[in-house]
């Protein structure tokens, strides 16, 4: 086990386990605190492992998770029932010892429930109904597998460009994948990368993007690309209109030149004076200069 594998496996199981936001926050708080605990050695001087327990204080958990003391008690009971963590209370004066479980094993509550449902059968059920149920179950497994791979792709794309996502970003990514599907989330991240969005503003930018998607009813990559193309064309037209209607700059006439123009007498135009010829007096015979 390591930080990345635990975080990704937890994100994969969120759509099936359906934990609350408080339970997700507590799990990420425990994961972050265990990652910090890994930098220290145990009492014998050996390096700690992810399978070892750790005992953060209640105040520390409240700070990292944003939950109250009662909220932590309720959330940890649910996480334990789901097979995600284990803990042992040691009374009021000592901190509770927590332990993160290996989510890739078959010991979690989700995997156990799947295995038990696969092994259980009722002989009184008609054969046709059994085949239909098995087909639906197989389709669900395939759908879950695609979703798991897509969630992993989302996390990998974020990590390869912006570094490993923190607890808030992980929760947001998971919620967006559940609401908009992973392919649209991947498209939004790719679009943000093209706009040179940095890691600090990535989560806020994507939050505004998906808020706009929800307002405009965008649920597929095709709809998002069409809307982006329309926006780009409109921006190009507006930019062209501003450039075309921009007034030309006129240089101001210096004061000394303005005075010379005002003092200089105006010359009357004589139609008898043509280009290259001079018609003096009243003579109609052209005379070259």
């Amino acid at each position: 086990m390591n930080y990345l594998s635990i975080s990704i496996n937890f994100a994969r199981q969120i759509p099936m386990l359906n934990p609350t936001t408080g339970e997700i926050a507590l799990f990420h708080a425990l994961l972050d605190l265990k990652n910090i605990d890994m930098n220290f050695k145990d009492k014998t001087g050996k390096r700690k492992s992810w399978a070892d327990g750790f005992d953060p204080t209640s105040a520390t958990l409240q700070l990292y998770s944003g939950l109250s003391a009662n909220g932590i008690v309720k959330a940890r009971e649910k996480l334990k029932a789901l097979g995600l963590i284990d803990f042992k209370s040691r009374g009021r004066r000592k901190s509770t010892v927590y332990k993160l479980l290996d989510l890739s094993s078959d010991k979690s509550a989700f995997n156990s429930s799947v295995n038990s449902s696969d092994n259980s059968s009722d002989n009184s059920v008609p054969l046709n109904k059994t085949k239909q149920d098995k087909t639906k179950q197989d389709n669900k497994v395939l759908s879950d597998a695609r979703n798991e791979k897509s969630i992993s792709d989302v996390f990998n794309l974020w990590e390869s460009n912006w570094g490993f996502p923190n607890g808030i970003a992980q929760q947001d990514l998971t919620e967006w994948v559940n609401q908009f599907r992973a392919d649209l989330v991947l498209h939004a991240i790719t679009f943000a990368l093209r706009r040179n969005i940095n890691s600090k503003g990535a989560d806020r930018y994507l939050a505004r993007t998906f808020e706009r998607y929800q307002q405009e009813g965008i649920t597929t990559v095709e709809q998002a690309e069409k809307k982006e193309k329309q926006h780009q064309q409109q921006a190009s037209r507006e930019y062209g209109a501003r450039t075309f209607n921009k007034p030309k700059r006129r240089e101001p006439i210096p004061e000394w030149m303005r005075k010379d123009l005002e003092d200089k007498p105006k010359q009357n135009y004589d139609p008898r004076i043509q280009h290259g010829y001079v018609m003096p007096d009243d003579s109609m015979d052209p005379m070259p200069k």
Side-chain angles (χ1 to χ4, degrees), residues 227-245:
K227 197 67 178 181
E228 291 163 3
K229 187 176 181 180
Q230 293 176 353
H231 179 74
Q232 184 177 4
Q233 292 175 350
Q234 182 179 357
S236 299
R237 288 194 298 267
E238 292 177 355
Y239 177 79
R242 289 196 302 268
T243 304
F244 180 78
N245 297 327

Side-chain angles (χ1 to χ4, degrees), residues 65-106:
S65 65
L67 300 175
S68 63
N70 292 333
I72 291 175
V73 172
K74 294 179 181 179
R76 72 186 185 184
E77 291 290 346
K78 180 64 178 297
L79 293 177
K80 183 177 181 178
L82 293 174
L84 301 175
I85 67 170
D86 193 10
F87 65 89
K88 182 179 181 181
S89 180
R90 298 187 296 177
R92 292 186 176 182
R93 295 188 177 183
K94 291 186 178 181
S95 301
T96 302
V97 178
Y98 292 89
K99 183 178 180 180
L100 297 175
L101 301 181
D102 187 1
L103 304 184
S104 61
S105 65
D106 295 334

Side-chain angles (χ1 to χ4, degrees), residues 267-281 283-284 286-287 289:
Q267 296 180 357
N268 296 327
Y269 174 73
D270 192 344
R272 294 177 299 173
I273 300 177
Q274 300 178 1
H275 295 289
Y277 296 94
V278 178
M279 301 174 63
D281 303 332
S283 174
M284 297 303 295
M287 179 180 295
K289 290 183 179 180

Side-chain angles (χ1 to χ4, degrees), residues 53-66:
F54 61 107
D55 54 349
T57 64
S58 178
T60 303
L61 279 178
Q62 293 179 46
L63 178 63
Y64 274 73
S65 65

Side-chain angles (χ1 to χ4, degrees), residues 189-204:
I189 295 176
T190 304
F191 186 79
L193 293 171
R194 293 175 181 172
R195 300 290 299 271
N196 296 324
I197 303 299
N198 57 26
S199 58
K200 293 182 179 180
D203 191 68
R204 292 192 301 272

